[in-house]
Amino acid sequence: MRTFNNMRRKKRTFDIFGSCVSRDLFTIPEAEHFECKEYIARQSVLSLLSEPLPVEKSEIAGLTSNFQKKMVLNDLQKTTFERLQESKSKFLIVDFIDERFRTAKISDCYVTMSNELMASGYLEGKDFQTIDTAKWDEKVMEAELKPRVIALAEKICSIYKKSHIIIHMAKMVDNYLGKDGEIHKFAPNYIANNKRVNYLLDKMYGWLCDEISGVGGGVIDISQNYLADENHKWGLSTMHFQPEYYQNVVKEIEEIVGKNIIQKSIDRLFNKR
């Protein structure tokens, strides 16, 4: 038992393809044995699996933050899989919250219209088409996004063990805990947008789960049981949760990691590879 507990306390390395909803997990005391090595954010699946776009640093001069520049350059240059491959982390956490952003289509290439891209100045003077995947009907989603989610699954499964891929099914919520300690509803326009985005997220998470779950990996789907938080360090948003959410997601990740440790010990006991 002592050996097993020591194994659980060992630092576990993670990469993230997702958003701050997953990244913020690593900032709480409960995650002291977790280390985030690579964090890929502000990238939609449409953009991820598109051809790279040429970019000069002068074209994103509107950004001053190195983190923001790194995210925008990665989205334009499509270096995600190379970065994940080079990270050598044991586990990958995936969430699709950044699908909330619209996508710009430039010729036959896609780029995520994140707040950072819009502030960078990259799109100024360029001819592009704006795409809002959350407004697509089910048939278009199936035709355009499902094959890309399947391709994403195949690619990450070539980098990580399937049992080490954690699908963090974070979604938008309609209610928040105010600074006054009371529960409030977001404005009707936010709730309407949540409905559209969550429909898209349900589809995409479902496709990813079909490809990955059932082989020892983990699925965490508890966001609809929690509130957004007006006191969140990043401000009030439909996907900035109360502290209890992050604490309980970390507990679920610990369970997934623990199952992997147990299975590894069993495999060693029976001389399996």
Side-chain angles (χ1 to χ4, degrees):
M1 180 63 71
R2 182 179 300 174
T3 300
F4 176 71
N5 286 336
N6 289 338
M7 289 176 70
R8 293 200 69 169
R9 286 196 293 270
K10 181 182 176 182
K11 277 278 187 183
R12 302 293 164 181
T13 55
F14 294 80
D15 295 328
I16 297 170
F17 176 77
S19 68
C20 61
V21 178
S22 293
R23 181 65 183 90
D24 285 348
L25 299 170
F26 292 81
T27 65
I28 65 174
E30 290 83 353
E32 63 177 326
H33 300 300
F34 296 171
E35 177 187 356
C36 179
K37 294 185 68 177
E38 189 62 82
Y39 172 36
I40 309 292
R42 314 298 192 271
Q43 187 165 52
S44 65
V45 171
L46 267 182
S47 175
L48 168 68
L49 293 161
S50 170
E51 291 298 314
L53 282 158
V55 56
E56 300 291 337
K57 288 187 178 180
S58 60
E59 293 181 282
I60 61 168
L63 299 175
T64 57
S65 160
N66 288 333
F67 169 78
Q68 293 176 345
K69 289 177 183 178
K70 183 179 179 181
M71 294 300 103
V72 170
L73 284 173
N74 176 72
D75 192 39
L76 290 164
Q77 297 171 336
K78 321 303 181 191
T79 55
T80 290
F81 294 126
E82 289 86 348
R83 287 170 58 184
L84 295 178
Q85 185 79 55
E86 292 169 3
S87 170
K88 306 297 184 184
S89 290
K90 290 291 186 183
F91 294 88
L92 174 69
I93 299 174
V94 179
D95 77 70
F96 286 143
I97 283 289
D98 281 351
E99 296 297 324
R100 71 192 189 276
F101 294 118
R102 294 176 298 169
T103 305
K105 184 177 183 182
I106 303 173
S107 186
D108 291 324
C109 301
Y110 297 95
V111 62
T112 311
M113 295 177 71
S114 63
N115 297 334
E116 291 79 5
L117 180 79
M118 302 310 291
S120 73
Y122 179 81
L123 292 177
E124 291 179 9
K126 291 183 172 62
D127 184 22
F128 65 91
Q129 175 188 355
T130 301
I131 297 170
D132 189 345
T133 54
K135 292 183 178 179
W136 281 353
D137 63 32
E138 184 174 359
K139 288 184 179 179
V140 178
M141 287 182 186
E142 290 267 353
E144 296 293 334
L145 290 176
K146 186 176 181 179
R148 288 178 167 89
V149 172
I150 292 172
L152 167 63
E154 291 175 350
K155 190 64 179 178
I156 58 179
C157 287
S158 73
I159 300 173
Y160 307 87
K161 293 180 180 179
K162 283 188 176 182
S163 60
H164 288 186
I165 297 171
I166 299 168
I167 304 172
H168 181 194
M169 295 176 63
K171 289 175 273 191
M172 310 298 188
V173 294
D174 293 342
N175 301 301
Y176 68 92
L177 184 65
K179 291 181 178 179
D180 58 5
E182 300 294 327
I183 296 174
H184 304 271
K185 276 193 173 294
F186 281 101
N189 60 313
Y190 282 86
I191 293 175
N193 184 67
N194 286 353
K195 184 177 181 180
R196 288 191 297 269
V197 172
N198 284 346
Y199 181 79
L200 171 65
L201 294 178
D202 280 334
K203 287 289 183 183
M204 295 181 69
Y205 286 134
W207 297 327
L208 188 62
C209 286
D210 288 344
E211 299 300 313
I212 293 177
S213 64
V215 289
V219 176
I220 301 172
D221 184 14
I222 62 173
S223 62
Q224 299 303 294
N225 299 328
Y226 293 87
L227 302 167
D229 191 348
E230 193 172 11
N231 286 311
H232 195 285
K233 64 180 178 180
W234 304 124
L236 180 62
S237 170
T238 56
M239 30 74 75
H240 290 165
F241 293 95
Q242 61 190 126
E244 293 82 357
Y245 175 73
Y246 302 99
Q247 292 162 0
N248 284 305
V249 171
V250 166
K251 287 179 182 178
E252 296 219 7
I253 292 174
E254 284 182 330
E255 289 183 9
I256 294 166
V257 171
K259 288 177 182 177
N260 273 276
I261 293 171
I262 292 170
Q263 187 60 54
K264 186 176 181 179
S265 299
I266 292 172
D267 290 346
R268 283 178 175 175
L269 180 63
F270 291 97
N271 295 317
K272 293 181 180 180
R273 289 184 177 269

